[in-house]
Amino acid sequence: MQPSADSCEACTPGMDVMRSGHTACPGCGQAISMRLVLRAIGAKAIVVTVPSCVSVIAGPFPYAVANVPYYHAAFEVAAASAAGISNALKIQEKQDIPVLAFAGDGGTFDIGLQSLSGAADRNEDFIYVCYDNEGYMNTGIQVSSATPTHAWTGTTPTGNTRRKKQIMEIMAAHRIPYAATASIGFPEDLMQKIQKARDIRGTRFIHLLSPCNTGWKIPENMAPKVSTLAVETNIFPLYEITDGLHYQINYMSKGLPVEEYLSVQGRYAHLTPEQIKSIQTETDRAWRDLKQKSGGQS
Amino acid sequence: MKQFITGNHSVAEAARRCRPGIVAAYPITPQTPIYEKLSEMEASGELGGIMMRMESEHSSMAACISASLTGARTFTATSSQGLALMHEMLHFASGARTAIVMACVNRTLALPWAFWSDQTDTLSQRDTGWMQIYVEHNQEALDSVIQAFRIAEQVLLPCMVVLEANFISHFMEPVDVPSQEDVDSFLPEVNLPRRFDIDNPSYVAGVVSQSQYRDFKQLSQEAMYVAQETAEKVDQEFGSFFGRSYGLVEAQDLADAELVLVTSATITSTARVALRQLREKDHKIGLVKIRLFRPFPTEHVRKLLDPVSKIAVIDRNISLGREGIFCAEVKAALCNSPVKKQIQGYLAGIGGTDVDVDLIQRIVLDALSRDAFLDRPIWMKEE
């Protein structure tokens, strides 16, 4: 399915919940993520964030960039905090108000994984958006378990030797009703997924690729472009998992060589031809695996 | 109605009668029976609210904080390692001015592993901005939970009700369990600020400057002063409504005392017997029980102990490298006292060891016969 702008009500201009004046870096992929997600969920939602660049984007007290009730929880408890709100809303008979947790890859893959797993196990009622910039960018670019193999960070100066943790598989294993990947390179698809998630009850998870220009060493006008290349090279395919079992690929990529994605990013500047080849091999394997899981459907 | 129940059961009966909207908990010995009892009450429909069965104490406290900020009455319970795991969120809970009530069952902190009464777990949390009430028996545990909700929701600061492992948590006593109607009359329906109002959105809580941070902390400290007045008033009102009150600090036989013994929690009950027996042998010893530890009732302690020149403090806890924590706090409270004092700290009951009548009498006789009081605490053990 090719996402279409016509079918997306939130894509209409003038629907922004996020106001101007955010304090992120110019061209920040994360600020774009936040703008699109909030536009899709609408102003009648409660947002939970944790320490990350989101707290920078939000602006310093008493300024507030997002026109929604907004709770800045502790690093590892986005999910538990969102669950506390959604249960309290239930006893106040206000369960129609969506609760959105917004955490980075560090707050999701690493320090927040226990809290997220607990909440997903209980099928707590919230949408969890993990904006994944593949490292601890707010503290100045350190490796996380979402950092891809071979990528440079401040704590992997010769390249990351670990593999990127498969967070979608982990979430699927909890059998949550809805999990989806999204990319700011495909904004309509992203917003449609947020709106689809809004109409489902239980734990809903969006894995959103969201480049950090500084950490990825790309020019400040490149975040959407690189996010598109991630999808088109199958590094980051767009798909959904329903009830942890049913996979559906949302976009059949052009299947471009991974080198087109890697070569535009300074964090991969040191790669050898062998390393690029091994990334290509692993990307092809994962794509075949995903196609098989989706029963060849797209 | 009188029931013969454990301290944990008393806490659960109190909590449910306070109609919490959210209980978020995680099992840990010796608190677990509170969690189980409230789960039974949820299953039978008696609880009314939602029981969140969490995956850790850290998440339990996180859920309580956000639920309290949403406007729900929230309750949880923990002990020892669980409380230590919560530490980060305890600062958060007071910083966000929530009104969470938590029952803390004192238990030794590892290492070494043990399961017995020791107050170091809760006293280690004294700087987190929580109110702390230390209780002497099961009835006081029940009554303090009800009082805690009234105080916490009035001043918007979270409150711990602290009961000791085994001696209170698992020992059975006759407890007067108030009716739901009476608790409803004493404790108004929850009316907390709803901080996540979609029609009037705001942040909890943005990043602040140095001076803003300082000013927030100053406001919290001022709230603690209000909390102390509120705690006293609520205890008095509880007394006129239910016929039982405890004060922030309780004094006994101070008028003619040649020495005053300062205690907290269950050691107080044993001390009452020990001092009665000593009085029969003409040793005139007074007793001060400290019930409210945070905010620390300095004026009350000053008023009672200012005229006294010899004081012995018993601690079932220790700040390693210093001394018993109640002793240190009493010394600090009395440092501007006009009467020169000798204050001796005794460590007794650490690790849940027995503090019987004989041991308390040995402490008193040691303090009476001692010319020089030591700056270091004296370890008291079974003979």
Side-chain angles (χ1 to χ4, degrees), chain A residues 23-186:
Chain A
T23 43
C25 307
C28 170
Q30 168 49 19
I32 298 169
S33 295
M34 196 168 158
R35 181 180 301 282
L36 295 173
V37 168
L38 290 180
R39 190 192 284 178
I41 200 145
K44 302 289 180 197
I46 298 171
V47 175
V48 178
T49 69
V50 299
S52 75
C53 284
V54 175
S55 40
V56 176
I57 295 167
F61 176 84
Y63 302 106
V65 81
N67 193 22
V68 282
Y70 191 101
Y71 174 44
H72 188 172
F75 203 0
E76 62 278 57
V77 288
S81 303
I85 293 172
S86 70
N87 279 301
L89 290 174
K90 212 171 289 166
I91 59 163
Q92 293 169 355
E93 295 178 344
K94 289 180 171 179
Q95 58 266 52
D96 53 315
I97 300 173
V99 180
L100 174 80
F102 211 47
D105 49 289
T108 304
F109 288 59
D110 288 348
I111 200 168
L113 189 61
Q114 172 185 307
S115 158
L116 175 59
S117 174
D121 170 56
R122 299 187 299 274
N123 199 24
E124 299 283 7
D125 194 20
F126 57 75
I127 303 173
Y128 191 108
V129 176
C130 169
Y131 76 87
D132 181 4
N133 54 25
E134 304 192 321
Y136 290 91
M137 302 317 191
N138 191 36
T139 44
I141 317 162
Q142 294 85 32
V143 71
S144 80
S145 63
T147 305
T149 314
H150 302 311
W152 169 91
T153 71
T155 51
T156 53
T158 56
N160 184 23
T161 54
R162 293 139 60 176
R163 289 173 302 173
K164 187 179 174 82
K165 193 185 279 182
Q166 298 302 303
I167 195 72
M168 286 292 282
E169 295 300 305
I170 292 170
M171 297 315 294
H174 288 80
R175 301 283 189 264
I176 55 171
Y178 185 70
T181 62
S183 157
I184 60 163
F186 292 77

Side-chain angles (χ1 to χ4, degrees), chain B residues 242-358:
Chain B
F242 291 101
R244 295 183 297 274
S245 69
Y246 305 93
L248 308 184
V249 175
E250 183 201 327
Q252 189 180 303
D253 299 331
L254 292 198
D256 61 352
E258 48 190 317
L259 171 88
V260 171
L261 186 65
V262 178
T263 59
S264 68
T266 61
I267 288 175
T268 312
S269 301
T270 318
R272 292 180 201 279
V273 178
L275 299 194
R276 196 159 55 228
Q277 289 179 3
L278 283 174
R279 205 156 262 275
E280 285 163 13
K281 294 176 190 159
D282 234 20
H283 291 300
K284 295 187 176 65
I285 313 298
L287 178 68
V288 165
K289 161 189 163 185
I290 296 176
R291 176 170 175 261
L292 184 72
F293 180 76
R294 278 292 180 273
F296 193 82
T298 306
E299 300 79 18
H300 295 69
V301 169
R302 282 284 306 268
K303 203 170 156 201
L304 294 170
L305 293 179
D306 259 354
V308 178
S309 57
K310 267 193 172 186
I311 298 166
V313 185
I314 303 184
D315 273 293
R316 193 195 283 281
N317 62 79
I318 182 166
S319 172
L320 292 169
R322 186 60 191 154
E323 61 188 331
I325 294 167
F326 278 93
C327 183
E329 296 268 348
V330 167
K331 284 179 177 173
L334 295 174
C335 75
N336 292 327
S337 180
V339 177
K340 183 169 164 38
K341 294 186 183 344
Q342 289 182 301
I343 303 176
Q344 180 62 56
Y346 293 89
L347 299 173
I350 286 184
T353 50
D354 254 357
V355 180
D356 58 13
V357 168
D358 173 61

Side-chain angles (χ1 to χ4, degrees), chain B residues 91-350:
Chain B
H91 281 278
F92 228 90
S94 65
R97 302 296 297 271
T98 65
I100 302 162
V101 172
M102 170 159 65
C104 291
V105 184
N106 282 133
R107 171 189 153 186
T108 47
L109 273 167
L111 280 172
W113 285 108
F115 312 96
W116 325 118
S117 177
D118 190 302
Q119 298 169 316
T120 310
D121 58 350
T122 49
L123 289 168
S124 297
Q125 308 304 330
R126 65 181 164 172
D127 302 331
T128 55
W130 281 62
M131 296 181 277
Q132 292 194 340
I133 299 171
Y134 287 77
V135 308
E136 184 183 343
H137 47 69
N138 297 9
Q139 184 72 60
E140 193 180 343
L142 182 144
D143 293 343
S144 297
V145 168
I146 299 168
Q147 291 188 9
F149 277 110
R150 266 277 298 266
I151 304 162
E153 291 179 7
Q154 213 164 313
V155 296
L156 296 180
L157 282 176
C159 185
M160 293 181 199
V161 175
V162 184
L163 50 151
E164 288 181 73
N166 308 318
F167 304 127
I168 297 184
S169 71
H170 284 67
F171 283 16
M172 294 169 81
E173 286 179 348
V175 174
D176 196 336
V177 181
S179 69
Q180 183 65 62
E181 293 69 37
D182 281 352
V183 177
D184 285 343
S185 310
F186 181 76
L187 180 68
E189 256 183 67
V190 66
N191 186 25
L192 290 169
R194 296 187 175 190
R195 304 286 296 275
F196 307 126
D197 180 359
I198 53 167
D199 298 318
N200 184 25
S202 65
Y203 276 20
V204 184
V207 176
V208 297
S209 68
Q210 296 92 325
S211 60
Q212 286 167 337
Y213 186 92
R214 176 200 59 212
D215 294 347
F216 274 115
K217 289 300 148 190
Q218 191 177 5
L219 285 170
S220 292
Q221 170 73 349
E222 278 160 21
M224 276 287 185
Y225 297 137
V226 177
Q228 186 177 314
E229 288 166 24
T230 309
E232 188 156 38
K233 225 167 79 196
V234 165
D235 182 60
Q236 285 160 0
E237 284 173 31
F238 191 92
S240 23
F241 196 92
F242 291 101
R244 295 183 297 274
S245 69
Y246 305 93
L248 308 184
V249 175
E250 183 201 327
Q252 189 180 303
D253 299 331
L254 292 198
D256 61 352
E258 48 190 317
L259 171 88
V260 171
L261 186 65
V262 178
T263 59
S264 68
T266 61
I267 288 175
T268 312
S269 301
T270 318
R272 292 180 201 279
V273 178
L275 299 194
R276 196 159 55 228
Q277 289 179 3
L278 283 174
R279 205 156 262 275
E280 285 163 13
K281 294 176 190 159
D282 234 20
H283 291 300
K284 295 187 176 65
I285 313 298
L287 178 68
V288 165
K289 161 189 163 185
I290 296 176
R291 176 170 175 261
L292 184 72
F293 180 76
R294 278 292 180 273
F296 193 82
T298 306
E299 300 79 18
H300 295 69
V301 169
R302 282 284 306 268
K303 203 170 156 201
L304 294 170
L305 293 179
D306 259 354
V308 178
S309 57
K310 267 193 172 186
I311 298 166
V313 185
I314 303 184
D315 273 293
R316 193 195 283 281
N317 62 79
I318 182 166
S319 172
L320 292 169
R322 186 60 191 154
E323 61 188 331
I325 294 167
F326 278 93
C327 183
E329 296 268 348
V330 167
K331 284 179 177 173
L334 295 174
C335 75
N336 292 327
S337 180
V339 177
K340 183 169 164 38
K341 294 186 183 344
Q342 289 182 301
I343 303 176
Q344 180 62 56
Y346 293 89
L347 299 173
I350 286 184

Side-chain angles (χ1 to χ4, degrees), chain A residues 17 32 53 136 140 155 180 213 216 226 228 248 253:
Chain A
V17 175
I32 298 169
C53 284
Y136 290 91
T155 51
N213 302 339
W216 292 19
V226 172
T228 309
Q248 167 124 27
S253 72

Side-chain angles (χ1 to χ4, degrees), chain A residues 237 239 247 249 285-295:
Chain A
Y239 62 101
Y247 285 67
I249 297 172
R285 189 207 57 77
W287 176 241
R288 275 197 308 276
D289 187 42
L290 181 63
K291 280 201 291 192
Q292 201 174 1
K293 280 183 182 154
S294 69

